[in-house]
Amino acid sequence: AEFPITKMCAWLEVSRSGFYDWQSRPASPTAARRDDLAVKVRAIFERNRGTYGARRIARVLRHAGETISLGCGSLGVTWGRASWGCEVVGSAGCDE
């Protein structure tokens, strides 16, 4: 690690034991869904040579039975966190 855990905990004003307790918790259902969705979105994006945007990917996912929302919703958050060279357009004001 670049920074010692002890110093990071002091900066964030959390106990080390609290940090390790948080770190060992399983992912929340929302986080697990976002991770699963990110895998699916990336697969669709790459399978279509990077030509599918958010609307087309949402259509593919809905056709497969996923419940998806654009913008600041599930797809917007996933897309916004992605690191494979795409971005959400028109999602100004999203908290995530």
Side-chain angles (χ1 to χ4, degrees):
E2 265 186 65
F3 300 100
I5 297 297
T6 305
K7 285 190 177 188
M8 288 192 302
C9 288
W11 292 330
L12 296 170
E13 298 178 0
V14 298
S15 67
R16 279 187 9 193
S17 62
F19 165 76
Y20 287 114
D21 180 51
W22 168 82
Q23 189 181 38
S24 65
R25 285 184 203 144
S28 70
T30 301
R33 173 161 162 65
R34 285 183 182 155
D35 291 345
D36 181 53
L37 188 58
V39 170
K40 292 175 182 178
V41 167
R42 184 172 188 140
I44 294 166
F45 185 76
E46 290 179 350
R47 186 171 49 238
N48 292 284
R49 300 176 315 275
T51 61
Y52 272 28
R55 288 184 184 96
R56 285 172 119 182
I57 290 174
R59 191 177 315 130
V60 170
L61 290 168
R62 284 186 189 119
H63 185 66
E66 292 285 340
T67 302
I68 296 296
S69 60
L70 293 170
C72 296
S74 53
L75 187 58
V77 170
T78 301
W79 202 274
R81 292 179 179 189
S83 60
W84 64 88
C86 57
E87 62 183 75
V88 176
V89 176
S91 64
C94 291
D95 292 333
E96 294 192 73

